[in-house]
Amino acid sequence: QVQLVESGGGLVQPGGSLRLSCASSELDLDEHAIAWFRQAPNKEREGVSCITGTTYYADSVKGRFTISRDNAKNTVYLQMNSLRSEDTAVYYCAAIRITRFFADIWRSAGRYDYWGQGTRVTISS
């Protein structure tokens, strides 16, 4: 079974930073579009960012979050700066093969084939 594994979540104060990682031992992540989604309590899962050869960001995180790849480590990162209480959520990474990716659907969770188990991010003083 293909697995994506997220790590890096935790508790930080408002204004702080975290770096999330998404890795896989089964998938070549550079052959896939990798997206980060998040889900806060009682809210729908929302797309945060995505990377192909291009990067995509939700308006709510532009200028604060940066998505990147390290192909040598087969890992995708989400650097999160200037964190706010509203960033509190479980963060998931998801993958879809590049050949099946379309930019206008990057925020559609149902399009992705593979998901991680999530990592919890809590922003609180």
Side-chain angles (χ1 to χ4, degrees):
Q1 184 176 352
V2 173
Q3 285 190 321
L4 297 174
V5 180
E6 303 98 334
S7 60
L11 170 65
V12 296
Q13 294 185 341
S17 297
L18 282 173
R19 188 178 77 161
L20 306 184
S21 299
C22 173
S24 178
S25 58
E26 293 94 356
L27 286 181
D28 287 328
L29 297 189
D30 64 352
E31 295 178 356
H32 293 75
I34 306 298
W36 286 96
F37 286 78
R38 66 186 180 187
Q39 189 164 19
N42 301 315
K43 291 191 175 181
E44 292 188 356
R45 192 169 295 194
E46 64 170 343
V48 175
S49 185
C50 181
I51 187 166
T52 56
T54 303
T55 55
Y56 306 85
Y57 296 96
D59 288 343
S60 59
V61 306
K62 277 180 184 175
R64 300 189 298 123
F65 291 11
T66 302
I67 192 169
S68 63
R69 293 181 185 270
D70 184 335
N71 290 335
K73 295 183 178 180
N74 203 36
T75 300
V76 171
Y77 302 100
L78 185 68
Q79 177 68 43
M80 307 188 297
N81 299 329
S82 302
L83 285 162
R84 306 166 179 168
S85 58
E86 55 263 38
D87 296 317
T88 295
V90 177
Y91 284 71
Y92 301 87
C93 66
I96 181 173
R97 189 166 288 278
I98 284 281
T99 53
R100 295 179 56 234
F101 176 82
F102 296 93
D104 60 352
I105 57 87
W106 80 262
R107 301 177 75 168
S108 300
R111 294 282 187 154
Y112 291 81
D113 298 320
Y114 309 105
W115 288 84
Q117 81 289 348
T119 185
R120 186 173 300 276
V121 172
T122 303
I123 313 304
S124 176
S125 55

